[in-house]
Amino acid sequence: MKKEITVEYMHDLLKKSVFQNVDLSKVEGMSDDERRKFTVAEADDLLGQREYGDSMYWYVGQFLHDDGMRRLDNPLYQEEGALAKWYIELADFGYALIFHIPSDLDYLEPGLGQHPYDFEQDYTLGNERLTKWLHDTPYRRLAVMTARIMLDLEYERVVAHFDAVQDYYAEHCTTDFGGYLKQDAKCDKYVDEVLHCIQTVSDHQQQGRALGLSDDEMRVVDALWGWMPHDYDKDCVEAARDICQAVEASLPAPTVIRSRNGFIAYKKPVMKQLEAIAKKHDVDIDLTDEYNITMGYLTEWLYAKYSRGLIDNDDDLIR
């Protein structure tokens, strides 16, 4: 017979497992702001207690499933005491951190958040208060987790839209940052890496827009160059503009049913056309090299244009 988990058992388990040296009795008399500050401090500590932040993951797991649903077997959800409520508050805060969910930055420090109804807008370089906080806060593990949320939002923006940018982030910003949480110096390094990369991408795309390029044209320039960032070589820019124009003219009518086989038939003659356009502008691409990064980027872009998001991607399409 399964032993019933009692409130007393949970208090004892949490105290012995993660709060051995923490005076929890003071929670009862805290103001809202004092409790917020206490939660932030304890969250930072939990993230650094064990390798890869296991203490925080373990703690959150006592309250929430990975999908965010409450654990029905945790009796603290039915407890009215201030400490039980604080446990839950910390678990909710920790869940957002370890699953990289944008939340109200004012919880970290009042004044960091500017969009109470759209938290994602605050996780940007344009939020100068946030970037300053990331450098200055003594809570270095929270800085890492916040930077990781910024990185995830950037990935969401570029995935399926800017292949070379996505690869740049993958090359320069690790998502396996657990080892960074043990030392402040490593935390600083991770935050600097993320902010530098986001700034590099922002500068690169602003440069493209200053040249009058659309997102498609910037994506094709990056494909022709085979990397990002770069200085928008004149020949690549001119080739990209012609390529985008040619592809728009080549696409099937909106009423045509899209399919993987249809794309394979569509791709071959269009790629020949793109190769000719590139060569006209002294940009060399090799249609015979299936491992050529430019061909990979152009194929992904061409497939996105052809499919209009109506069919899933498939690795066989790039062969």
Side-chain angles (χ1 to χ4, degrees), residues 85-130:
K85 292 180 179 178
W86 177 77
Y87 282 144
I88 294 168
E89 184 175 343
L90 176 59
D92 290 339
F93 181 54
Y95 181 87
L97 293 172
I98 62 177
F99 286 98
H100 322 303
I101 300 171
S103 56
D104 190 353
L105 286 173
D106 275 354
Y107 195 84
L108 288 172
E109 182 176 293
L112 291 184
Q114 301 170 22
H115 299 86
Y117 301 106
D118 188 359
F119 298 143
E120 291 186 7
Q121 290 192 52
D122 287 329
Y123 289 80
T124 67
L125 294 180
N127 187 348
E128 295 181 1
R129 283 190 174 186
L130 174 60

Side-chain angles (χ1 to χ4, degrees), residues 41-297:
E42 289 305 311
D44 190 74
D45 189 54
L46 284 178
L47 286 166
Q49 278 191 10
R50 302 174 189 165
E51 197 69 24
Y52 296 103
D54 283 346
S55 290
M56 177 61 85
Y57 190 85
W58 178 89
Y59 177 81
V60 170
Q62 306 310 304
F63 293 84
L64 300 162
H65 296 287
D66 283 358
D67 62 2
M69 297 295 291
R70 289 182 170 185
R71 284 189 53 170
L72 298 179
D73 60 344
N74 189 328
L76 291 176
Y77 281 112
Q78 283 72 52
E79 178 72 6
E80 292 298 322
L83 183 55
K85 292 180 179 178
W86 177 77
Y87 282 144
I88 294 168
E89 184 175 343
L90 176 59
D92 290 339
F93 181 54
Y95 181 87
L97 293 172
I98 62 177
F99 286 98
H100 322 303
I101 300 171
S103 56
D104 190 353
L105 286 173
D106 275 354
Y107 195 84
L108 288 172
E109 182 176 293
L112 291 184
Q114 301 170 22
H115 299 86
Y117 301 106
D118 188 359
F119 298 143
E120 291 186 7
Q121 290 192 52
D122 287 329
Y123 289 80
T124 67
L125 294 180
N127 187 348
E128 295 181 1
R129 283 190 174 186
L130 174 60
T131 55
K132 185 176 187 304
W133 179 89
L134 287 169
H135 285 119
D136 296 346
T137 181
Y139 301 125
R140 301 315 300 156
R141 279 146 292 283
L142 291 181
V144 166
M145 304 303 281
T146 304
R148 172 61 194 274
I149 293 173
M150 294 176 71
L151 180 61
D152 275 19
L153 291 173
E154 270 293 291
Y155 268 121
E156 289 178 14
R157 184 181 71 83
V158 303
V159 165
H161 297 285
F162 300 100
D163 304 294
V165 175
Q166 183 181 346
D167 285 350
Y168 172 81
Y169 278 129
E171 178 76 18
H172 291 87
C173 290
T174 180
T175 54
D176 182 18
F177 59 83
Y180 286 68
L181 298 175
K182 298 299 292 183
Q183 299 178 24
D184 284 1
K186 288 187 176 182
C187 291
D188 296 345
K189 182 176 183 292
Y190 183 79
V191 170
D192 288 343
E193 285 175 354
V194 170
L195 295 182
H196 172 75
C197 287
I198 294 176
Q199 186 67 63
T200 297
V201 171
S202 177
D203 290 345
H204 175 71
Q205 295 190 331
Q206 286 182 30
Q207 184 181 356
R209 292 187 181 98
L211 293 171
L213 298 175
S214 67
D215 284 356
D216 271 343
E217 289 167 341
M218 282 192 288
R219 183 173 180 177
V220 173
V221 174
D222 290 345
L224 295 173
W225 190 259
W227 187 243
M228 192 294 310
H230 50 74
D231 289 328
Y232 288 95
D233 173 77
K234 182 174 180 292
D235 291 336
C236 286
V237 169
E238 291 176 352
R241 284 181 167 136
D242 287 352
I243 284 172
C244 287
Q245 187 175 4
V247 167
E248 288 294 339
S250 74
L251 291 171
T255 54
V256 173
I257 296 175
R258 266 64 169 171
S259 69
R260 294 184 178 89
N261 288 336
F263 174 72
I264 292 170
Y266 165 81
K267 172 190 168 186
K268 189 170 182 179
V270 173
M271 277 296 190
K272 283 288 187 183
Q273 185 182 8
L274 302 194
E275 182 183 39
I277 292 172
K279 287 183 176 179
K280 183 184 76 172
H281 292 284
D282 296 321
V283 179
D284 184 42
I285 59 175
D286 182 6
L287 292 179
T288 65
D289 183 3
E290 64 179 289
Y291 299 106
N292 182 290
I293 191 67
T294 291
M295 290 306 302
Y297 286 159

